Amino acid sequence: MNVSTIHDIGYRHYEGKRLGRAYVTRSIFVHNLRAAYGLGRPARAKVMPFVLAGIMLLPAVGDIAVVAIAKRPEALFPYTRYQFMLQLIISIFVATQAPVLASREIRFHTVPLYFSRPVVHLDLVLAKLAAFTTALFALTAIPITVLYVGGLVTQVPDSGTQLLHYLGGLLACLLLSLVLGAIGLLVAAFTPRRGFGVAAVIAVLLVSSVLVSVVQEITQHAGHWTLSGWLGLLTPYSLVDAVAYRLLGGKLPDIAVPGVGGGFAALGVCAVIVAGAVVVLYSRFRKAGLS
Amino acid sequence: MPPIIATRGLSMRFPRVTALDDLTLAAPPGVVGLVGANGAGKSTLIKILLGLLPPSSGGAEVLGLDIARQGDEIRRLVGFMPEYECLPPDVSATEFVVHMARMCGLPPTAARERAADTLRHVGLYEERYRPIGGYSTGMRQRVKLAQALVHDPRLVFLDEPTNGLDPAGRDEMLGLIRRIGHEFGISVLVTSHLLGELERICDHVVVIDGGRLLRSQAVEAYTEASGVLVVEVDEGRDDLGRWLHERGAAVHPEGRQLMIDIGDETVYDLVRDGSAELGLRLVRMEQRRHHIEELFATAPHSAPVAVEPGAFGGPGASGEELRGGAR
């Protein structure tokens, strides 16, 4: 044996396992989920998501403190309404983080590297949407979980109803995350410059919210309550609120679509948004893969 | 040995341009150079071979796999280094290459080990933990190369790997490519618009222009001995030239040297006798070799090669540009 050759072992071929499509898709999911919170990236990429996640928690913590100290269980926030109250924070999170997942790899021409490997186009899009949905779900579900646990600890009455409402709240969080994730990725994928992407997502989410609530006020003054309820389907937060109220036993929002049918209509709109976004994102990434 | 790449009548027509025109070629294992001016169809050919772009007509096989039906299999076995920038600036080389290894199905531990090994092989050490945004062009090219190699492919497509590199960086990159082909045992298809650099590292060179095949042959065939004798004498070049001309040799001056057509063996004797008679000091007498770049030479006095005139008449495809990398 020649000892001096031990240092440079030269090139070694890889003889080990090569895993399949499920593993690759899971890896894309994990990579994008980490990216959504700036993990694996410089510290400044972590600031925004974690600050926003912290802000999301503050009202819940404060509310629990009020319930505990003032002994007023009725002061506990309704679970399904929490995301509606904090929609500004959620919108900012969507706006700043959607470009990280959707437009970063298009802008830097990284997409072709995926498709020159055994990565399936649709898998990439679905994994990205799933990752962003999960990131948003964590952002919205953790505060209401804090509310629920806080309610248990401070012995808010009717723990059975509370549990049902909490589960309904979780479903509402999931639905909102899915809808916002789809809209956010869609808008960001067509605005390759990050700054524009942030602005475009903010515009779509906030402007639609403000516009719709203004028009809703006007129609309510004119006495068109039903029309006002239907208008709520035009902005993601009221849309999900309608589903939560009509189908998930959530708390009554200011105004909502009439009846269970309206709830299903709202759910249908959610499905169309998500499916449409997947189709468009699919063709967008397919095209980016050839550049 | 079966070819690594074989195309049959491959054509690719876009609405306004024809990128590939009835291209039929076969490339053997080893380091294969693909030469052509910008816009000659090199990148399009690679996209088609990766199964990303269906050709307008014709077919091709990569590693014996059909591009139309077995694209997925092909993409498992090959690596691809694009010509353009393709690296996100805000992650480290390690993070990025590990991710790309996982995209090829390597399990987490193997992906980390292979990424570390590969980055070492391409010459990235401590800096691989820093974000890519701060890298020099040379380092970026190394990361791009590493991501193409990390899953231990059987064949890599390297699209213009020396683009943007300074002479030293280019030499290192070329050395690396030669090692990939000869030491790592991975076949390489490397494109360039610079012939000189491919001549140094390739076993086989394919020349395309305007989407058509100009030549495909082993590199030695391009550089084989020509029928011209190069003679250099210390002084009195013209005296010797005249002396040879009077005795029926076809001779013309080029620089400090004389170019003499080798009709038969007696030419050597003639040069010897002439030098002796005129009392000249003979510095050099050798049979001239072709350079690949002569393929693109348009001047009439250069050595004859079998290229139809005007083959490089297309826009942007000047012989000057192609010869630019020759040393």
Side-chain angles (χ1 to χ4, degrees):
Chain A
M1 257 325 229
N2 188 352
V3 181
S4 66
T5 58
I6 286 175
H7 299 291
D8 188 15
I9 41 180
Y11 186 81
R12 282 178 303 172
H13 285 284
Y14 176 69
E15 311 287 352
K17 232 189 284 180
R18 291 175 198 256
L19 303 170
R21 187 173 165 182
Y23 168 79
V24 172
T25 310
R26 206 163 60 240
S27 297
I28 302 173
F29 171 79
V30 172
H31 183 78
N32 282 280
L33 182 56
R34 283 164 51 84
Y37 280 94
L39 303 174
R41 257 144 253 259
R44 70 191 134 81
K46 300 179 179 68
V47 173
M48 201 62 174
F50 279 99
V51 164
L52 291 172
I55 296 174
M56 282 295 288
L57 273 172
L58 288 181
V61 172
D63 189 46
I64 292 301
V66 170
V67 170
I69 294 162
K71 298 268 184 292
R72 290 177 51 204
E74 72 278 8
L76 193 67
F77 289 146
Y79 304 117
T80 57
R81 297 288 292 153
Y82 196 81
Q83 54 194 20
F84 192 84
M85 297 188 309
L86 286 165
Q87 56 173 281
L88 178 65
I89 307 300
I90 301 173
S91 292
I92 294 174
F93 186 93
V94 175
T96 55
Q97 302 313 113
V100 177
L101 274 72
S103 61
R104 207 170 119 269
E105 291 181 322
I106 292 178
R107 180 177 157 204
F108 295 111
H109 304 289
T110 313
V111 180
L113 297 185
Y114 286 96
F115 300 138
S116 61
R117 296 182 150 75
V119 174
V120 181
H121 289 78
L122 189 61
D123 291 356
L124 179 74
V125 170
L126 290 180
K128 276 183 182 287
L129 179 57
F132 200 35
T133 302
T134 309
L136 285 167
F137 184 70
L139 182 78
T140 50
I142 290 172
I144 70 165
T145 305
V146 168
L147 275 182
Y148 176 65
V149 173
L152 284 183
V153 171
T154 54
Q155 291 172 342
V156 172
D158 295 329
S159 61
T161 327
Q162 289 291 335
L163 178 62
L164 278 181
H165 285 176
Y166 168 62
L167 293 178
L170 284 186
L171 281 179
C173 284
L174 187 60
L175 186 62
L176 182 76
S177 306
L178 202 52
V179 171
L180 287 181
I183 295 174
L185 293 185
L186 182 65
V187 175
F190 286 90
T191 41
R193 297 292 304 272
R194 187 164 183 275
F196 291 138
V198 172
V201 177
I202 278 281
V204 167
L205 294 181
L206 289 191
V207 173
S208 78
S209 246
V210 170
L211 268 183
V212 166
S213 53
V214 167
V215 179
Q216 274 183 322
E217 285 292 322
I218 296 169
T219 49
Q220 283 171 35
H221 269 288
H224 301 301
W225 291 89
T226 318
L227 176 64
S228 176
W230 285 109
L231 281 172
L233 301 194
L234 295 177
T235 165
Y237 295 98
S238 337
L239 176 69
V240 174
D241 229 7
V243 177
Y245 170 57
R246 291 298 179 191
L247 303 180
L248 300 174
K251 175 104 172 165
L252 176 67
D254 306 330
I255 187 78
V257 282
V260 175
F264 278 111
L267 191 59
V269 173
C270 296
V272 168
I273 289 175
V274 173
V278 168
V279 170
V280 178
L281 283 170
Y282 171 80
S283 67
R284 178 76 181 101
F285 275 90
R286 208 184 163 79
K287 187 163 160 263
L290 282 177
S291 69
Chain B
M1 270 192 286
I4 48 164
I5 295 163
T7 71
R8 300 176 306 277
L10 202 60
S11 293
M12 187 72 215
R13 280 177 285 276
F14 294 111
R16 269 174 301 160
V17 285
T18 300
L20 296 177
D21 189 7
D22 195 26
L23 192 67
T24 300
L25 62 88
V31 182
V32 177
L34 178 62
V35 194
N38 294 330
K42 302 181 301 263
S43 299
T44 306
L45 179 60
I46 290 182
K47 275 181 214 164
I48 291 174
L49 293 176
L50 280 167
L52 296 176
L53 205 62
S56 309
S57 63
E61 283 180 0
V62 176
L63 301 167
L65 299 163
D66 186 274
I67 53 160
R69 289 178 294 109
Q70 293 164 298
D72 218 44
E73 276 298 298
I74 293 172
R75 292 190 286 273
R76 251 174 247 289
L77 296 176
V78 303
F80 171 46
M81 173 182 175
E83 172 188 3
Y84 41 80
E85 277 291 316
C86 58
L87 306 172
D90 55 350
V91 293
S92 67
T94 297
E95 173 101 7
F96 180 72
V97 177
V98 168
H99 179 54
M100 284 298 145
R102 294 179 62 146
M103 290 302 100
C104 297
L106 267 61
T109 316
R112 275 195 300 279
E113 286 172 7
R114 283 283 315 174
D117 272 5
T118 314
L119 285 167
R120 185 170 54 80
H121 279 300
V122 301
L124 275 178
Y125 301 95
E126 288 315 304
E127 57 271 31
R128 66 178 189 263
Y129 301 111
R130 286 194 280 117
I132 295 170
Y135 288 11
S136 66
T137 309
M139 286 158 73
R140 280 168 207 258
Q141 291 297 85
R142 285 161 196 265
V143 180
K144 279 163 66 178
L145 184 59
Q147 66 80 29
L149 291 173
V150 69
H151 54 296
D152 189 26
R154 281 178 49 201
L155 165 67
V156 278
F157 295 117
L158 309 179
D159 201 356
E160 304 272 358
T162 54
N163 238 5
L165 298 180
D166 57 26
R170 177 181 294 172
D171 283 349
E172 285 175 38
M173 180 57 81
L174 292 174
L176 206 50
I177 294 168
R178 198 187 357 228
R179 279 184 62 208
I180 292 167
H182 297 142
E183 284 176 38
F184 299 6
I186 299 171
S187 286
V188 178
L189 179 76
V190 51
T191 77
S192 178
H193 56 281
L194 302 174
L195 270 166
E197 51 182 48
L198 290 189
E199 190 178 281
R200 289 158 57 199
I201 58 164
C202 292
D203 307 318
H204 188 98
V205 170
V206 176
V207 186
I208 61 173
D209 177 50
R212 284 177 304 117
L213 182 69
L214 279 190
R215 274 213 186 178
S216 170
Q217 58 190 25
V219 86
E220 297 84 37
Y222 291 92
T223 57
E224 67 194 356
S226 67
V228 174
L229 189 66
V230 181
V231 170
E232 185 177 342
V233 287
D234 206 11
E235 268 168 11
R237 182 199 71 179
D238 294 342
D239 295 341
L240 181 61
R242 216 170 293 120
W243 193 91
L244 290 168
H245 181 70
E246 285 160 7
R247 280 155 188 79
V251 57
H252 66 262
E254 192 177 300
R256 295 169 46 82
Q257 299 158 346
L258 289 172
M259 301 292 144
I260 309 161
D261 286 355
I262 306 176
D264 54 63
E265 298 281 307
T266 58
V267 168
Y268 295 93
D269 298 338
L270 214 52
V271 173
R272 179 201 59 201
D273 295 345
S275 309
E277 195 177 317
L278 299 170
L280 301 172
R281 277 192 293 269
L282 190 59
V283 176
R284 182 215 302 246
M285 178 161 75
E286 65 178 15
Q287 210 176 348
R288 189 188 206 183
R289 294 197 162 272
H290 286 300
H291 291 273
I292 304 183
E293 65 203 71
E294 290 169 10
L295 262 181
F296 300 98
T298 46
H301 66 264
S302 63
V305 279
V307 181
E308 58 276 37
F312 267 79
S318 72
E320 274 309 311
E321 183 188 358
L322 286 152
R323 281 198 303 276
R327 315 184 103 221

